[in-house]
Short mmCIF file of all heavy atoms in Angstrom, two decimals:
data_model
loop_
_atom_site.label_atom_id
_atom_site.label_comp_id
_atom_site.label_asym_id
_atom_site.label_seq_id
_atom_site.Cartn_x
_atom_site.Cartn_y
_atom_site.Cartn_z
N ILE C 39 21.39 -5.74 1.49
CA ILE C 39 20.74 -6.03 2.79
C ILE C 39 20.79 -7.42 3.11
O ILE C 39 21.18 -7.83 4.34
CB ILE C 39 19.21 -5.43 2.63
CG1 ILE C 39 19.21 -4.06 2.34
CG2 ILE C 39 18.59 -5.70 4.04
CD1 ILE C 39 19.95 -3.00 3.16
N ASN C 40 20.44 -8.36 2.20
CA ASN C 40 20.34 -9.72 2.77
C ASN C 40 21.78 -10.31 3.11
O ASN C 40 21.95 -10.97 4.10
CB ASN C 40 19.90 -10.70 1.55
CG ASN C 40 18.33 -10.55 1.46
OD1 ASN C 40 17.76 -9.90 2.30
ND2 ASN C 40 17.93 -11.12 0.32
N PRO C 41 22.86 -10.04 2.51
CA PRO C 41 24.22 -10.28 3.04
C PRO C 41 24.49 -9.74 4.38
O PRO C 41 25.12 -10.40 5.14
CB PRO C 41 25.22 -9.82 1.89
CG PRO C 41 24.44 -9.81 0.71
CD PRO C 41 22.91 -9.40 1.10
N LEU C 42 24.04 -8.44 4.56
CA LEU C 42 24.26 -7.88 5.89
C LEU C 42 23.50 -8.56 6.93
O LEU C 42 24.00 -8.73 8.07
CB LEU C 42 23.86 -6.42 5.98
CG LEU C 42 24.80 -5.40 5.15
CD1 LEU C 42 24.16 -4.01 5.10
CD2 LEU C 42 26.12 -5.37 5.77
N VAL C 43 22.24 -8.93 6.65
CA VAL C 43 21.45 -9.73 7.66
C VAL C 43 22.11 -11.16 7.99
O VAL C 43 22.19 -11.67 8.97
CB VAL C 43 20.08 -9.90 7.14
CG1 VAL C 43 19.23 -10.82 7.95
CG2 VAL C 43 19.30 -8.55 7.16
N SER C 44 22.61 -11.82 6.89
CA SER C 44 23.20 -13.02 7.05
C SER C 44 24.46 -13.12 7.90
O SER C 44 24.97 -14.10 8.31
CB SER C 44 23.38 -13.75 5.68
OG SER C 44 24.51 -13.11 5.00
N LEU C 45 25.12 -11.83 8.16
CA LEU C 45 26.30 -11.63 8.88
C LEU C 45 25.85 -12.00 10.49
O LEU C 45 26.68 -12.47 11.21
CB LEU C 45 26.88 -10.26 8.90
CG LEU C 45 27.59 -9.85 7.54
CD1 LEU C 45 27.97 -8.38 7.69
CD2 LEU C 45 28.70 -10.88 7.44
N PHE C 46 24.65 -11.76 10.82
CA PHE C 46 24.24 -11.87 12.13
C PHE C 46 23.45 -13.23 12.47
O PHE C 46 23.52 -13.74 13.56
CB PHE C 46 23.32 -10.70 12.55
CG PHE C 46 24.08 -9.39 12.45
CD1 PHE C 46 23.66 -8.57 11.37
CD2 PHE C 46 24.93 -9.01 13.34
CE1 PHE C 46 24.38 -7.24 11.21
CE2 PHE C 46 25.66 -7.84 13.23
CZ PHE C 46 25.37 -6.98 12.18
N PHE C 47 22.78 -13.75 11.46
CA PHE C 47 22.15 -15.06 11.71
C PHE C 47 21.86 -15.66 10.27
O PHE C 47 21.90 -14.91 9.31
CB PHE C 47 20.82 -14.93 12.46
CG PHE C 47 19.77 -14.08 11.96
CD1 PHE C 47 18.79 -14.63 11.10
CD2 PHE C 47 19.63 -12.72 12.26
CE1 PHE C 47 17.86 -13.82 10.68
CE2 PHE C 47 18.65 -11.96 11.81
CZ PHE C 47 17.75 -12.48 10.96
N ALA C 48 21.63 -16.99 10.26
CA ALA C 48 21.41 -17.67 9.05
C ALA C 48 19.96 -17.35 8.53
O ALA C 48 19.00 -18.02 8.93
CB ALA C 48 21.58 -19.25 9.24
N ALA C 49 19.89 -16.38 7.61
CA ALA C 49 18.52 -15.98 7.09
C ALA C 49 18.01 -17.07 6.20
O ALA C 49 16.79 -17.02 6.05
CB ALA C 49 18.78 -14.68 6.34
N ASP C 50 18.73 -17.90 5.68
CA ASP C 50 18.20 -18.87 4.74
C ASP C 50 17.48 -19.96 5.37
O ASP C 50 16.41 -20.51 5.00
CB ASP C 50 19.35 -19.66 3.94
CG ASP C 50 20.18 -18.69 3.02
OD1 ASP C 50 19.56 -17.75 2.67
OD2 ASP C 50 21.28 -18.95 2.76
N SER C 51 17.75 -20.24 6.71
CA SER C 51 17.11 -21.15 7.41
C SER C 51 15.97 -20.69 8.39
O SER C 51 15.38 -21.42 9.10
CB SER C 51 18.14 -22.09 8.31
OG SER C 51 18.59 -21.08 9.31
N LEU C 52 15.84 -19.41 8.32
CA LEU C 52 14.72 -18.71 9.14
C LEU C 52 13.38 -19.21 8.86
O LEU C 52 12.59 -19.45 9.66
CB LEU C 52 14.85 -17.12 9.00
CG LEU C 52 13.94 -16.42 9.91
CD1 LEU C 52 14.16 -16.69 11.46
CD2 LEU C 52 14.07 -14.90 9.54
N ALA C 53 13.08 -19.43 7.56
CA ALA C 53 11.74 -19.83 7.12
C ALA C 53 11.31 -21.23 7.63
O ALA C 53 10.17 -21.49 7.79
CB ALA C 53 11.61 -19.66 5.53
N THR C 54 12.30 -22.03 7.77
CA THR C 54 12.10 -23.32 8.21
C THR C 54 12.49 -23.64 9.65
O THR C 54 12.26 -24.66 10.23
CB THR C 54 12.87 -24.45 7.30
OG1 THR C 54 14.36 -24.10 7.40
CG2 THR C 54 12.43 -24.30 5.99
N ALA C 55 12.99 -22.60 10.25
CA ALA C 55 13.59 -22.79 11.66
C ALA C 55 12.42 -22.73 12.76
O ALA C 55 12.36 -23.55 13.53
CB ALA C 55 14.66 -21.60 11.97
N LEU C 56 11.44 -21.87 12.60
CA LEU C 56 10.49 -21.71 13.55
C LEU C 56 9.11 -22.30 13.14
O LEU C 56 8.13 -21.50 12.89
CB LEU C 56 10.24 -20.24 13.85
CG LEU C 56 11.45 -19.47 14.53
CD1 LEU C 56 11.14 -17.95 14.68
CD2 LEU C 56 11.77 -20.08 15.85
N THR C 57 9.12 -23.69 13.01
CA THR C 57 7.92 -24.38 12.62
C THR C 57 7.40 -25.14 13.76
O THR C 57 8.12 -25.77 14.47
CB THR C 57 8.11 -25.15 11.34
OG1 THR C 57 9.12 -26.11 11.65
CG2 THR C 57 8.54 -24.29 10.09
N PHE C 58 6.12 -25.37 13.83
CA PHE C 58 5.50 -26.12 14.80
C PHE C 58 4.52 -27.11 14.20
O PHE C 58 3.51 -26.59 13.41
CB PHE C 58 4.66 -25.35 15.95
CG PHE C 58 5.76 -24.39 16.67
CD1 PHE C 58 5.80 -22.94 16.35
CD2 PHE C 58 6.42 -24.78 17.67
CE1 PHE C 58 6.66 -22.21 16.96
CE2 PHE C 58 7.41 -24.02 18.32
CZ PHE C 58 7.44 -22.65 18.06
N THR C 59 4.54 -28.28 14.37
CA THR C 59 3.73 -29.27 13.83
C THR C 59 2.81 -29.79 14.99
O THR C 59 3.20 -30.35 15.91
CB THR C 59 4.48 -30.44 13.19
OG1 THR C 59 5.36 -29.87 12.21
CG2 THR C 59 3.42 -31.45 12.45
N VAL C 60 1.62 -29.82 14.69
CA VAL C 60 0.54 -30.24 15.74
C VAL C 60 -0.34 -31.18 14.99
O VAL C 60 -0.81 -31.07 13.75
CB VAL C 60 -0.33 -29.12 16.34
CG1 VAL C 60 0.70 -28.11 17.00
CG2 VAL C 60 -1.09 -28.32 15.32
N PRO C 61 -0.98 -32.23 15.77
CA PRO C 61 -1.85 -33.07 15.04
C PRO C 61 -3.28 -32.50 14.89
O PRO C 61 -3.65 -31.66 15.72
CB PRO C 61 -2.04 -34.18 16.10
CG PRO C 61 -1.59 -33.60 17.44
CD PRO C 61 -0.50 -32.60 17.14
N THR C 62 -3.92 -32.84 13.74
CA THR C 62 -5.26 -32.27 13.47
C THR C 62 -6.30 -33.24 14.04
O THR C 62 -6.01 -34.32 14.50
CB THR C 62 -5.45 -32.26 12.07
OG1 THR C 62 -5.36 -33.46 11.41
CG2 THR C 62 -4.38 -31.30 11.40
N LEU C 63 -7.57 -32.83 14.04
CA LEU C 63 -8.68 -33.66 14.51
C LEU C 63 -9.03 -34.88 13.57
O LEU C 63 -9.51 -35.96 14.10
CB LEU C 63 -9.87 -32.83 14.54
CG LEU C 63 -9.98 -31.65 15.47
CD1 LEU C 63 -11.12 -30.84 15.42
CD2 LEU C 63 -9.75 -32.12 16.88
N PHE C 64 -8.38 -34.96 12.40
CA PHE C 64 -8.60 -36.00 11.46
C PHE C 64 -7.42 -36.93 11.30
O PHE C 64 -7.34 -37.64 10.26
CB PHE C 64 -9.05 -35.47 10.16
CG PHE C 64 -10.43 -34.61 10.31
CD1 PHE C 64 -10.17 -33.23 10.06
CD2 PHE C 64 -11.50 -35.04 10.45
CE1 PHE C 64 -11.35 -32.45 10.23
CE2 PHE C 64 -12.73 -34.32 10.55
CZ PHE C 64 -12.55 -33.05 10.45
N GLY C 65 -6.46 -36.82 12.19
CA GLY C 65 -5.33 -37.70 12.19
C GLY C 65 -4.14 -37.23 11.47
O GLY C 65 -3.09 -37.78 11.41
N GLY C 66 -4.28 -36.12 10.77
CA GLY C 66 -3.18 -35.45 9.96
C GLY C 66 -2.29 -34.61 10.84
O GLY C 66 -2.39 -34.68 12.06
N THR C 67 -1.57 -33.78 10.20
CA THR C 67 -0.73 -32.85 10.97
C THR C 67 -0.97 -31.48 10.39
O THR C 67 -1.14 -31.32 9.21
CB THR C 67 0.69 -33.12 11.07
OG1 THR C 67 1.22 -33.20 9.70
CG2 THR C 67 0.91 -34.46 11.84
N ALA C 68 -0.83 -30.42 11.04
CA ALA C 68 -0.89 -29.00 10.60
C ALA C 68 0.47 -28.35 11.02
O ALA C 68 0.93 -28.48 12.25
CB ALA C 68 -1.99 -28.27 11.12
N THR C 69 1.15 -27.71 10.06
CA THR C 69 2.40 -27.13 10.29
C THR C 69 2.19 -25.54 10.37
O THR C 69 1.90 -25.03 9.35
CB THR C 69 3.47 -27.57 9.37
OG1 THR C 69 3.59 -28.89 9.27
CG2 THR C 69 4.85 -26.83 9.60
N PHE C 70 2.67 -25.03 11.43
CA PHE C 70 2.74 -23.49 11.61
C PHE C 70 4.18 -23.04 11.44
O PHE C 70 5.02 -23.43 12.12
CB PHE C 70 2.12 -23.01 12.89
CG PHE C 70 0.77 -23.47 13.22
CD1 PHE C 70 0.42 -24.57 13.85
CD2 PHE C 70 -0.21 -22.64 12.83
CE1 PHE C 70 -0.94 -24.96 14.06
CE2 PHE C 70 -1.62 -22.89 13.06
CZ PHE C 70 -1.82 -24.16 13.75
N SER C 71 4.27 -22.22 10.36
CA SER C 71 5.59 -21.74 9.97
C SER C 71 5.65 -20.28 10.37
O SER C 71 5.64 -19.37 9.54
CB SER C 71 5.84 -21.88 8.56
OG SER C 71 7.16 -21.48 8.20
N PHE C 72 6.12 -20.04 11.71
CA PHE C 72 6.28 -18.68 12.13
C PHE C 72 7.54 -18.05 11.56
O PHE C 72 7.66 -16.85 11.54
CB PHE C 72 6.25 -18.62 13.66
CG PHE C 72 4.88 -18.98 14.35
CD1 PHE C 72 4.61 -20.23 14.92
CD2 PHE C 72 3.75 -18.10 14.23
CE1 PHE C 72 3.53 -20.56 15.38
CE2 PHE C 72 2.66 -18.34 14.60
CZ PHE C 72 2.42 -19.68 15.37
N GLY C 73 8.55 -18.91 11.39
CA GLY C 73 9.74 -18.43 10.71
C GLY C 73 9.51 -17.86 9.34
O GLY C 73 10.17 -16.85 9.02
N ALA C 74 8.55 -18.29 8.59
CA ALA C 74 8.35 -17.83 7.24
C ALA C 74 7.65 -16.53 7.40
O ALA C 74 7.94 -15.59 6.64
CB ALA C 74 7.37 -18.70 6.44
N ILE C 75 6.88 -16.28 8.49
CA ILE C 75 6.21 -15.02 8.74
C ILE C 75 7.23 -13.96 9.04
O ILE C 75 7.37 -12.89 8.59
CB ILE C 75 5.12 -15.12 9.75
CG1 ILE C 75 3.87 -15.90 9.26
CG2 ILE C 75 4.64 -13.76 10.15
CD1 ILE C 75 2.92 -16.30 10.28
N LEU C 76 8.20 -14.26 10.09
CA LEU C 76 9.26 -13.41 10.47
C LEU C 76 10.16 -13.13 9.22
O LEU C 76 10.57 -11.93 9.12
CB LEU C 76 9.97 -14.21 11.50
CG LEU C 76 11.23 -13.37 12.27
CD1 LEU C 76 10.63 -12.09 12.80
CD2 LEU C 76 11.79 -14.17 13.25
N ALA C 77 10.50 -14.15 8.38
CA ALA C 77 11.38 -13.80 7.17
C ALA C 77 10.58 -12.91 6.31
O ALA C 77 11.26 -11.92 5.78
CB ALA C 77 11.63 -15.12 6.48
#
Side-chain angles (χ1 to χ4, degrees):
I39 302 298
N40 286 349
L42 288 173
V43 170
S44 67
L45 289 174
F46 300 105
F47 60 91
D50 295 337
S51 65
L52 184 60
T54 58
L56 298 173
T57 58
F58 300 101
T59 304
V60 295
T62 64
L63 298 174
F64 303 106
T67 59
T69 304
F70 295 93
S71 182
F72 294 107
I75 295 170
L76 184 60

